[in-house]
Amino acid sequence: MTDLPPRPAGRALLLKAGLSSVLFAWMGIVLAVFAANALWLARTDPATGTSYLGALLADDALRSEVAFSIRLSFATSLITAALGTLLAVPSAYALSRFRFPFLRVVDTIVDLPLVVPPLIAGVALLLFFRQSVPGRFVDEHVLRVVYSRTGIVVAQFFVSSAFAIRAVKASFDLVNPRFEAVARSLGCTPWGAFRQVALPLARTGIVAGFVMTWARAMGEFAPVMMLAGSTPMKTAVLPITAFLNMSAGNVEAAIAVVVLMVLLSTVTLVVFKRLGGQGYLW
């Protein structure tokens, strides 16, 4: 008796199982990496007999340093996200709706801060504010950007604003332009159609873009360190605090910051998806 060829449904099941196994294997690696950090804090220190997390919580100086970094990171990233959204709404709408000369060039320049290595972006910002005439004026007389908290916002904004534009553009792309055309045919001005039709329909996506821009700003490291410095209790945001503790050999404190940022990123991603954010921004 000869074997019958597998049925198409069986082949589809084999394909599904084979390809899905790659997906779930990668998911397991991601979860294992982050879970290992959380489990490390739960370990007991042989010298003291207490958990590493308990020892960290008992260290008043370290608690103060991490608490300051949390407050600083939240404040600067919220300001950055607000400024980024204010820039992103008109910019994203223009990219989504208008066709003008050299559109691809404009589109490429907008994306440039996203693809330039973060360290290079930070060095470029530092040189701009240190050597250019407008930069010197701003640094010395108005805002004192370099090695200041203002520099944190500037560095975060320079990189994450492009992310905000892409996120908001994705929401405007989902709004059918015919709705605005109908509003204008009924007597609405172009500004009125934008304000009363496009903005309300894209509102959820704009909020999702704000959330993701905030998360991106929270995680900026190299540009912030280059422009604002890495002074504890002054310009050390959460990623810099993790780096400083790791460099000093305080591995447990660095891991605690890592776990905290992973939790914040997870919550942010869940909120982004609940608000209808797109899985892609390009």
PDB file of all heavy atoms in Angstrom, residues 9-24:
ATOM      1  N   ALA A   9      -4.196  20.772   3.771  1.00  0.00           N
ATOM      2  CA  ALA A   9      -4.361  21.310   5.120  1.00  0.00           C
ATOM      3  C   ALA A   9      -3.186  20.908   6.001  1.00  0.00           C
ATOM      4  O   ALA A   9      -2.724  21.677   6.839  1.00  0.00           O
ATOM      5  CB  ALA A   9      -5.681  20.803   5.711  1.00  0.00           C
ATOM      6  N   GLY A  10      -2.695  19.678   5.811  1.00  0.00           N
ATOM      7  CA  GLY A  10      -1.540  19.235   6.577  1.00  0.00           C
ATOM      8  C   GLY A  10      -0.288  20.025   6.243  1.00  0.00           C
ATOM      9  O   GLY A  10       0.510  20.358   7.123  1.00  0.00           O
ATOM     10  N   ARG A  11      -0.105  20.341   4.984  1.00  0.00           N
ATOM     11  CA  ARG A  11       1.039  21.149   4.573  1.00  0.00           C
ATOM     12  C   ARG A  11       0.966  22.544   5.172  1.00  0.00           C
ATOM     13  O   ARG A  11       1.977  23.094   5.617  1.00  0.00           O
ATOM     14  CB  ARG A  11       1.096  21.225   3.050  1.00  0.00           C
ATOM     15  CG  ARG A  11       1.395  19.895   2.366  1.00  0.00           C
ATOM     16  CD  ARG A  11       1.391  20.047   0.855  1.00  0.00           C
ATOM     17  NE  ARG A  11       1.657  18.784   0.184  1.00  0.00           N
ATOM     18  CZ  ARG A  11       1.643  18.631  -1.129  1.00  0.00           C
ATOM     19  NH1 ARG A  11       1.374  19.687  -1.910  1.00  0.00           N
ATOM     20  NH2 ARG A  11       1.889  17.446  -1.668  1.00  0.00           N
ATOM     21  N   ALA A  12      -0.238  23.117   5.169  1.00  0.00           N
ATOM     22  CA  ALA A  12      -0.408  24.447   5.754  1.00  0.00           C
ATOM     23  C   ALA A  12      -0.091  24.427   7.243  1.00  0.00           C
ATOM     24  O   ALA A  12       0.507  25.368   7.780  1.00  0.00           O
ATOM     25  CB  ALA A  12      -1.835  24.940   5.515  1.00  0.00           C
ATOM     26  N   LEU A  13      -0.501  23.335   7.907  1.00  0.00           N
ATOM     27  CA  LEU A  13      -0.221  23.224   9.342  1.00  0.00           C
ATOM     28  C   LEU A  13       1.270  23.109   9.597  1.00  0.00           C
ATOM     29  O   LEU A  13       1.807  23.717  10.544  1.00  0.00           O
ATOM     30  CB  LEU A  13      -0.959  22.012   9.902  1.00  0.00           C
ATOM     31  CG  LEU A  13      -0.841  21.787  11.418  1.00  0.00           C
ATOM     32  CD1 LEU A  13      -1.410  22.982  12.163  1.00  0.00           C
ATOM     33  CD2 LEU A  13      -1.556  20.506  11.826  1.00  0.00           C
ATOM     34  N   LEU A  14       1.968  22.335   8.764  1.00  0.00           N
ATOM     35  CA  LEU A  14       3.409  22.207   8.915  1.00  0.00           C
ATOM     36  C   LEU A  14       4.114  23.541   8.678  1.00  0.00           C
ATOM     37  O   LEU A  14       5.060  23.900   9.394  1.00  0.00           O
ATOM     38  CB  LEU A  14       3.941  21.155   7.941  1.00  0.00           C
ATOM     39  CG  LEU A  14       3.620  19.690   8.272  1.00  0.00           C
ATOM     40  CD1 LEU A  14       4.101  18.786   7.146  1.00  0.00           C
ATOM     41  CD2 LEU A  14       4.249  19.291   9.597  1.00  0.00           C
ATOM     42  N   LEU A  15       3.651  24.278   7.661  1.00  0.00           N
ATOM     43  CA  LEU A  15       4.237  25.596   7.388  1.00  0.00           C
ATOM     44  C   LEU A  15       4.013  26.537   8.552  1.00  0.00           C
ATOM     45  O   LEU A  15       4.934  27.255   8.977  1.00  0.00           O
ATOM     46  CB  LEU A  15       3.617  26.175   6.106  1.00  0.00           C
ATOM     47  CG  LEU A  15       4.106  27.574   5.712  1.00  0.00           C
ATOM     48  CD1 LEU A  15       5.583  27.551   5.382  1.00  0.00           C
ATOM     49  CD2 LEU A  15       3.300  28.108   4.542  1.00  0.00           C
ATOM     50  N   LYS A  16       2.801  26.537   9.074  1.00  0.00           N
ATOM     51  CA  LYS A  16       2.476  27.398  10.210  1.00  0.00           C
ATOM     52  C   LYS A  16       3.331  27.068  11.416  1.00  0.00           C
ATOM     53  O   LYS A  16       3.872  27.956  12.091  1.00  0.00           O
ATOM     54  CB  LYS A  16       0.990  27.255  10.554  1.00  0.00           C
ATOM     55  CG  LYS A  16       0.552  28.082  11.755  1.00  0.00           C
ATOM     56  CD  LYS A  16      -0.922  27.881  12.030  1.00  0.00           C
ATOM     57  CE  LYS A  16      -1.371  28.666  13.251  1.00  0.00           C
ATOM     58  NZ  LYS A  16      -2.816  28.458  13.535  1.00  0.00           N
ATOM     59  N   ALA A  17       3.481  25.759  11.695  1.00  0.00           N
ATOM     60  CA  ALA A  17       4.275  25.332  12.848  1.00  0.00           C
ATOM     61  C   ALA A  17       5.746  25.689  12.663  1.00  0.00           C
ATOM     62  O   ALA A  17       6.409  26.161  13.597  1.00  0.00           O
ATOM     63  CB  ALA A  17       4.105  23.840  13.072  1.00  0.00           C
ATOM     64  N   GLY A  18       6.256  25.483  11.454  1.00  0.00           N
ATOM     65  CA  GLY A  18       7.669  25.749  11.218  1.00  0.00           C
ATOM     66  C   GLY A  18       8.017  27.225  11.331  1.00  0.00           C
ATOM     67  O   GLY A  18       8.990  27.601  12.002  1.00  0.00           O
ATOM     68  N   LEU A  19       7.217  28.078  10.693  1.00  0.00           N
ATOM     69  CA  LEU A  19       7.504  29.515  10.729  1.00  0.00           C
ATOM     70  C   LEU A  19       7.208  30.114  12.099  1.00  0.00           C
ATOM     71  O   LEU A  19       7.932  30.995  12.577  1.00  0.00           O
ATOM     72  CB  LEU A  19       6.693  30.230   9.647  1.00  0.00           C
ATOM     73  CG  LEU A  19       6.979  29.792   8.201  1.00  0.00           C
ATOM     74  CD1 LEU A  19       6.173  30.627   7.220  1.00  0.00           C
ATOM     75  CD2 LEU A  19       8.467  29.896   7.887  1.00  0.00           C
ATOM     76  N   SER A  20       6.140  29.652  12.726  1.00  0.00           N
ATOM     77  CA  SER A  20       5.783  30.177  14.046  1.00  0.00           C
ATOM     78  C   SER A  20       6.814  29.800  15.094  1.00  0.00           C
ATOM     79  O   SER A  20       7.020  30.533  16.067  1.00  0.00           O
ATOM     80  CB  SER A  20       4.405  29.665  14.470  1.00  0.00           C
ATOM     81  OG  SER A  20       3.400  30.092  13.570  1.00  0.00           O
ATOM     82  N   SER A  21       7.467  28.677  14.910  1.00  0.00           N
ATOM     83  CA  SER A  21       8.480  28.264  15.881  1.00  0.00           C
ATOM     84  C   SER A  21       9.632  29.267  15.931  1.00  0.00           C
ATOM     85  O   SER A  21      10.204  29.514  16.997  1.00  0.00           O
ATOM     86  CB  SER A  21       9.005  26.872  15.533  1.00  0.00           C
ATOM     87  OG  SER A  21       9.653  26.880  14.269  1.00  0.00           O
ATOM     88  N   VAL A  22       9.968  29.857  14.781  1.00  0.00           N
ATOM     89  CA  VAL A  22      11.009  30.878  14.754  1.00  0.00           C
ATOM     90  C   VAL A  22      10.560  32.094  15.556  1.00  0.00           C
ATOM     91  O   VAL A  22      11.320  32.661  16.362  1.00  0.00           O
ATOM     92  CB  VAL A  22      11.349  31.277  13.308  1.00  0.00           C
ATOM     93  CG1 VAL A  22      12.391  32.387  13.280  1.00  0.00           C
ATOM     94  CG2 VAL A  22      11.828  30.070  12.529  1.00  0.00           C
ATOM     95  N   LEU A  23       9.299  32.497  15.342  1.00  0.00           N
ATOM     96  CA  LEU A  23       8.753  33.644  16.064  1.00  0.00           C
ATOM     97  C   LEU A  23       8.771  33.412  17.569  1.00  0.00           C
ATOM     98  O   LEU A  23       9.234  34.260  18.345  1.00  0.00           O
ATOM     99  CB  LEU A  23       7.319  33.916  15.589  1.00  0.00           C
ATOM    100  CG  LEU A  23       6.506  34.920  16.407  1.00  0.00           C
ATOM    101  CD1 LEU A  23       7.124  36.310  16.324  1.00  0.00           C
ATOM    102  CD2 LEU A  23       5.059  34.942  15.919  1.00  0.00           C
ATOM    103  N   PHE A  24       8.272  32.260  18.003  1.00  0.00           N
ATOM    104  CA  PHE A  24       8.179  31.987  19.436  1.00  0.00           C
ATOM    105  C   PHE A  24       9.557  31.759  20.051  1.00  0.00           C
ATOM    106  O   PHE A  24       9.773  32.054  21.235  1.00  0.00           O
ATOM    107  CB  PHE A  24       7.268  30.796  19.682  1.00  0.00           C
ATOM    108  CG  PHE A  24       5.820  31.089  19.431  1.00  0.00           C
ATOM    109  CD1 PHE A  24       5.125  30.442  18.417  1.00  0.00           C
ATOM    110  CD2 PHE A  24       5.146  32.045  20.176  1.00  0.00           C
ATOM    111  CE1 PHE A  24       3.793  30.726  18.163  1.00  0.00           C
ATOM    112  CE2 PHE A  24       3.814  32.339  19.946  1.00  0.00           C
ATOM    113  CZ  PHE A  24       3.127  31.676  18.940  1.00  0.00           C
TER     114      PHE A  24
END
